[in-house]
């Protein structure tokens, strides 16, 4: 056996021993009954309620979004058939980029095949453009941002999570003449907290740094038009580059960046991760465009999301179920052990028909294992009653035994 094959087998055995081996659960989404899905396990399919979808607003099942995809598919077929430069640009691609730029108050936008690719390609391209780039990265930035930074020759300096004093100390110590970029997120999806965007922009202006903001877990939900936390806080115009996704609150697929015309055009013209990959299928671009337009006007749906999140937090607190602090729409329930977290998730599914994904290392640090709950506009009070009762029955005895 080849040494690499031996390595793979040993590494997988270790992952299993630690209780963090990942298994996938095939689910059949019911568009007309979201967040209800069907689960087929050896017999008749049974209905389950999903509590960990990133389709935060349920837009993946919205009638206008589905119909837009169907119309585009009937007109243009299933795939793009090429890169953006080789027959892979449709009117929907162009219209979607314009819509996203307008959403964030920027001059231009650029689509990518996923949010991961948009971060990796954009950051890698920017930080490879000039000598001596210094990039200041929040320690809890997403893996895609870290990968993009590591793909460049830039010097990466990590500041403590949301710690402005530490960030300023690092900025002050950097060479004044070096090009600088601060890369951070708005809503941190595993910790449910939010960055002080305005204060970070203050530091960027003071020390001559650009800002790169990942709004993946905020676009569509925060702000008067769903433009994210930067829009909510009135500071979007101060952020140089805003990155987002179409695969979460907008319910479709793809990633994007927005910014000044020159910066976006430079990335469009030089980013390998954009140039050399097949573009989003036109039907996906059409669905995303319909979703963005509907979400921008649907203030009630966004308000319902936050009401549901606050209601779930209150109900968990009243039931004495420990959760991590949250100032966002995400509700993490701490477990603290990988094997236990996986076991709790499995019992919720097997015994209560509730799907709540376990979040284990390396997504979160060891000891920080949790269930990540994402209540949405279509989770009812009755669903919350069932969830809280199931957590009380499964989680508290399991944690007590582990202690």
């Amino acid at each position: 056996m080849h040494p690499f094959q031996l390595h793979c087998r040993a590494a997988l055995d270790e992952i299993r021993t630690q209780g963090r081996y990942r298994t996938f659960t095939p689910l059949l989404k019911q568009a007309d009954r979201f967040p209800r899905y069907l689960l087929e396990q050896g017999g008749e399919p049974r209905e389950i309620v999903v509590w960990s979808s990133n389709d935060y607003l349920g837009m993946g099942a919205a009638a206008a979004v589905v119909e837009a995809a169907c119309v585009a598919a009937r007109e243009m077929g299933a795939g793009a058939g090429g890169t953006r430069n080789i027959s892979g640009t449709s009117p929907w691609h162009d219209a979607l980029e314009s819509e996203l730029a307008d959403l964030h108050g920027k001059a231009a936008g650029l689509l990518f095949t996923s949010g991961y690719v948009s971060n990796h390609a954009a950051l890698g391209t920017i930080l490879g453009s000039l000598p001596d780039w210094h990039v200041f990265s929040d320690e809890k930035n997403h893996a895609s941002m870290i990968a993009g930074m590591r793909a460049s020759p830039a010097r990466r300096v990590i500041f403590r999570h949301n710690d402005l004093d530490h960030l300023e100390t690092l900025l002050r110590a950097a060479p004044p003449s070096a090009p600088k970029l601060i890369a951070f997120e708005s809503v941190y999806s595993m910790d449910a907290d939010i960055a002080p965007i305005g204060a970070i922009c203050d530091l960027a202006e003071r020390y001559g740094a650009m800002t790169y903001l990942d709004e993946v877990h905020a676009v569509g939900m925060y702000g008067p038009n769903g433009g994210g936390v930067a829009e909510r806080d009135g500071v979007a115009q101060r952020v140089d580059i805003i990155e987002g996704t179409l695969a979460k609150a907008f319910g479709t697929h793809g990633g994007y960046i927005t910014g000044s015309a020159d910066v976006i055009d430079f990335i469009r013209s030089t980013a390998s991760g954009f140039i050399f990959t097949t573009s989003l299928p036109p039907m996906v671009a059409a669905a995303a465009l319909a979703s963005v337009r509907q979400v921008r006007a649907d203030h009630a749906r966004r308000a319902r999301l936050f009401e549901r999140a606050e209601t779930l937090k209150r109900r968990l607190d009243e039931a004495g179920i420990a959760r991590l602090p949250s100032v966002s729409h995400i509700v993490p329930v701490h477990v603290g052990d990988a094997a236990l977290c996986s076991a709790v998730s499995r019992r919720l599914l097997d015994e209560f028909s509730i799907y709540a994904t376990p979040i284990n290392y390396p997504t979160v640090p060891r000891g920080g294992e949790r269930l990540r709950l994402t209540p949405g506009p279509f989770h009812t009070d009755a669903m919350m009653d069932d969830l809280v009762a199931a957590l009380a029955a499964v989680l508290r005895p399991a944690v007590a035994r582990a202690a």
Side-chain angles (χ1 to χ4, degrees), residues 11 14-20 334-339 359-370:
E14 178 64 19
I15 290 171
R16 291 187 182 94
T17 299
Q18 295 174 1
R20 57 185 186 90
H334 183 257
V335 179
D337 176 83
I359 305 297
N360 293 331
Y361 176 86
T363 306
V364 295
R366 288 186 174 89
E369 291 83 3
R370 66 202 62 180

Side-chain angles (χ1 to χ4, degrees), residues 41-70:
Q41 283 184 325
E44 287 295 316
R46 62 186 172 99
E47 191 170 78
I48 65 170
V49 175
V50 170
W51 280 95
S52 56
S53 173
N54 283 339
D55 187 357
Y56 293 130
L57 294 172
M59 290 302 298
V65 174
V66 174
E67 181 59 22
C70 292

Side-chain angles (χ1 to χ4, degrees), residues 123 126-127 133-137 179-183 209-212:
L123 283 167
I126 293 166
L127 297 172
W133 267 108
H134 284 54
V135 57
F136 300 84
S137 173
K180 304 175 187 67
L181 177 73
I182 305 172
M210 289 181 62
T211 45
Y212 183 103

Side-chain angles (χ1 to χ4, degrees), residues 255-270:
Y256 66 89
I257 58 171
T258 63
S260 70
D262 286 343
V263 167
I264 299 302
D265 197 18
F266 172 78
I267 296 170
R268 183 189 69 87
S269 301
T270 61

Side-chain angles (χ1 to χ4, degrees), residues 106-125:
K106 301 300 182 186
L110 187 66
L111 290 171
F112 292 84
T113 50
S114 73
Y116 189 104
V117 174
S118 58
N119 271 333
H120 187 285
L123 283 167
T125 300

Side-chain angles (χ1 to χ4, degrees), residues 283-312:
M283 65 179 182
V284 173
L289 178 61
S291 181
V292 174
R293 287 175 172 171
Q294 180 173 329
V295 165
R296 294 184 73 175
D298 195 348
H299 309 297
R301 187 181 292 241
R302 292 197 299 275
R304 175 71 172 170
L305 166 78
F306 289 107
E307 183 276 324
R308 294 284 79 192
E310 293 308 310
T311 297
L312 180 59

Side-chain angles (χ1 to χ4, degrees), residues 51 311-321 348 354 373 381-396:
W51 280 95
T311 297
L312 180 59
K313 293 174 193 177
R314 185 181 71 251
R315 290 193 177 197
L316 291 172
D317 293 344
E318 290 170 352
I321 297 171
L348 289 173
I354 289 172
L373 306 178
D381 286 345
M383 291 176 183
M384 288 193 186
D385 290 341
D386 292 342
L387 173 65
V388 172
L391 286 171
V394 173
L395 184 59
R396 289 194 300 215

